[in-house]
Every structure is written in C-alpha cells, then in structure tokens.
Amino acid sequence: MSAKILDGNALAKAIRAGLARDAAAFQAAAGRPPGLSVILVGEDPASAVYVGHKEKAAREAGFASAVVRLPATASEAEVLDRIAAMAADRAVDGMLVQLPLPKQVDPLAVQRAIPPAKDVDGFHPVNAGMLLLGQKGGFVPCTPLGVMALLDEAEIPLKGAEAVVVGRSTIVGKPVAQLLLDRHATVTIAHSRTRDLAAVCRRADVLVAAAGVPGLVRGAFVKPGAAVIDVGINRITDAAQAEDLLAGQPERLEKFRKNGHALVGDVHFGEAAAAAGWITPVPGGVGPLTVALLLRNTLEGARRTEGLPA
Ligand code: NAD
C-alpha cells in the first residue's frame, strides 16, 4: 500500500476536544450550555446507532442534548408538532430529524419546518441556497464539511485541482461539489447515469465517493497519487462480496467470517490504496467527522443566538 491514511477518528477527536473547551467558554459567557436536540422517528437500527453517537458526543463535549423518540406510525402532523415545540425552545440551538423517515412523513416538509437558524444539518432550502450563493452565516451539511476537514488536515491542494464527486445527493454529493468549487477546484459530478465512470474518476486529483454502492470505485478508477475520500457506509453480509472487498485486510476478513457482516465504503480499499496518495478508511474516515462537525455547527448557532463572536 502506498497511500497515506486520512485518520478521521484522530481528527474528530481533536475537533471534539477543542469543542469541549469552546463549549465551556460559551457556558461561562452565556450562563447555559449549547443545546442539540434530535427527533428520531421509528426503530431503524442504523438511525438509532447514529442518534446514539450524536447524543454521546454532545454530552461528552459539555453540550445539553435531548432525543425525542416517536413511533414508526407517527403522522407527519405529529412530527411537525414536535419540530415546532423544539424550534420554540430557547435552550435548543441546533436541531435535526434523523433520516430516513417512515413513508407517511415527507422529508421535505420536515426540512422546511426546522428554522434555518437551528438547522445544523444544513438541509433547509435557505441554508442550501446560502451555500450555493456563497453567503456566510448559513449552516453547511456536516458530512461535506467532514470531507473538506480531512482534505485540509492533510493540506491537499485544491486550487485548480481536478475533483470528481461520485453521487449527486442533496445531503452529500451536491454540497461537497459546491465546497470544492468554492475552493477553486475544477469539479465534475458523476452519478448513476454517467458514461464510463472509471474514465471520469481517473481524471481526479481529488476523488470523493458518495454513491452508497459497496466497492464501486476500483483500483483502476484511481489516478496515481490522488486523494480518495470514501463517504460510503454500506453493511455487507454476502461472503463472496466480503472476500472481494476486504481482500488484503486479513483481520477484517476474519471478523467478517466470525460475525457475518462488515461495514465497507464505496471504494475498494485495498485496490485504491495501492494507487492513491491519500485515502480514508471505512469505518474511521469521514463518519466520525460528521458528528464532530454537527457539534461545531451547533456551537456556532448558539454563539449567533447569544450574540457572541464566532
Ligand atoms: P443517495 O442514495 O441519496 O445518493 C447516491 C448517489 O450516488 C446518487 O446521486 C446516485 O446517482 C449515485 N449513484 C448510485 N449508484 C451509482 C453508480 N453505480 N455509479 C455512479 N453513481 C451512482 O446516498 P447519500 O445519502 O448521498 O449517501 C451516499 C453514501 O454515503 C451512502 O453509503 C451513505 O450511507 C453514506 N453516508 C455517509 C455519511 C457519513 O457520515 N459518513 C453521511 C451520509 C451518507
């Protein structure tokens, strides 16, 4: 393997330690901690794990944190009522509704109901619009911020670089592409209808994979020396797929054989690491940064509410 590993766990830990100090300073100035509240609808196991991580990280950094749990049968009106109550609560600086939502609840209605000033996920049309317009003072989605934090930590040059983002979702692909564009990269967004994905990816000095397809990006997609950021988090249970995607990672393969499941990214790690200059692992790459930057957004919101400097 030639690539340097971009260690998301280490960077997230450092960010969270800084946030704990900043949260204490905020509390001293404002007389209250910054507050993050989450609404979880239903019993999706992955969502429950993500929400648990957010709650734990918030508490550890000295934030006030609350989770409102609603049954999978909750109506859209019930969810919107809870959002309105949270929005009116002065102790809540940042709030979010964990996705995905049950079918009867429209995620767009939910995103529009959260006041932009508390929308720490950055999904509200106002915040999305501010990102597009390059206006300061809005919230930028946390996973895209995590991608940028990893690139910046390794001082990977972006100005004039060829960047390819695989995936055009509103929560990852599009905002990442916008942030790379803001940093003067030449950005291509690839997606499920892209012709010859391998050739498009091979142009990239910076390759961001956010497709939700295990091992989509193979070694031949990677330009030698490129920075490869793998946003994908996919649970696999198929033995043949695990043998393929975990090749070269004997300990992880052994664990798969024991447990029958593994988390993998959208990048074939072993193959890509042989060509790349930098690469993120999954798990332990972008994932931990998402939570750390959610807290950073919340603290930023709290400071704005209290009129304290950023
Ligand atoms: P999504 O399903 O909303 O979007 C996927 C995008 O990938 C689409 O734009 C689609 O066109 C594209 N795509 C799908 N198949 C493709 C293919 N074969 N070739 C090229 N493009 C293809 O997914 P999302 O919400 O953007 O999430 C993407 C991945 O990132 C998922 O694995 C998700 O679990 C992960 N994720 C991780 C974090 C984190 O904290 N690290 C946060 C959000 C999402």
Side-chain angles (χ1 to χ4, degrees):
M1 189 180 88
S2 64
K4 291 192 197 102
I5 300 289
L6 298 170
D7 184 348
N9 281 323
L11 180 56
K13 198 170 158 199
I15 291 173
R16 283 161 53 180
L19 284 169
R21 289 191 293 275
D22 292 348
F26 174 86
Q27 173 142 17
R32 66 173 184 89
L36 173 67
S37 290
V38 177
I39 297 175
L40 174 61
V41 189
E43 280 95 39
D44 177 59
S47 293
V49 170
Y50 292 144
V51 168
H53 286 162
K54 289 170 188 175
E55 193 179 19
K56 182 162 173 278
R59 296 235 163 107
E60 281 172 5
F63 288 49
S65 157
V67 178
V68 171
R69 291 182 168 79
L70 298 175
T73 51
S75 68
E76 186 176 295
E78 282 173 89
V79 177
L80 294 178
D81 274 356
R82 291 303 186 112
I83 291 174
M86 224 175 239
D89 184 346
R90 290 183 59 87
V92 176
D93 299 296
M95 56 185 281
L96 64 97
V97 179
Q98 185 67 39
L99 299 175
L101 286 160
K103 278 195 298 289
Q104 73 277 14
V105 185
D106 174 9
L108 291 179
V110 161
Q111 283 162 11
R112 280 195 213 101
I114 296 174
K118 295 192 179 191
D119 167 43
V120 280
D121 261 343
F123 296 161
H124 190 285
V126 166
N127 283 318
M130 287 174 84
L131 174 62
L132 191 68
L133 296 171
Q135 292 181 2
K136 302 263 176 266
F139 287 117
V140 176
C142 306
T143 301
L145 283 177
V147 171
M148 301 309 288
L150 282 163
L151 292 169
D152 284 342
E153 172 71 7
E155 297 180 347
I156 290 161
L158 298 176
K159 196 171 173 181
E162 288 281 345
V164 174
V165 178
V166 184
R168 56 174 164 183
S169 75
T170 52
I171 66 171
V172 188
K174 282 183 193 167
V176 166
Q178 185 63 44
L179 292 172
L180 289 164
L181 188 61
D182 289 347
R183 297 285 295 278
H184 313 295
T186 301
V187 182
T188 303
I189 305 181
H191 47 78
S192 51
R193 318 273 168 89
T194 295
R195 266 185 277 130
D196 201 350
L197 183 65
V200 172
C201 289
R202 256 195 316 274
R203 294 209 302 257
D205 303 307
V206 174
L207 178 58
V208 180
V213 181
L216 174 68
V217 173
R218 307 293 304 209
F221 290 35
V222 178
K223 177 177 174 180
V228 178
I229 309 289
D230 189 354
V231 181
I233 302 180
N234 311 294
R235 189 175 191 272
I236 57 166
T237 53
D238 181 78
Q241 194 178 29
E243 298 286 337
D244 172 21
L245 298 183
L246 299 176
Q249 302 182 70
E251 280 167 30
R252 294 204 60 206
L253 200 48
E254 200 46 51
K255 225 169 141 187
F256 174 88
R257 290 186 187 124
K258 220 162 70 197
N259 301 337
H261 58 85
L263 284 185
V264 300
D266 292 348
V267 175
H268 188 299
F269 182 84
E271 290 180 5
W278 297 268
I279 192 165
T280 56
V282 175
V286 178
L289 285 162
T290 298
V291 176
L293 294 166
L294 177 70
L295 296 182
R296 183 183 281 173
N297 275 356
T298 301
L299 181 63
E300 227 171 84
R303 285 172 172 155
R304 278 184 217 143
T305 303
E306 297 293 341
L308 294 168

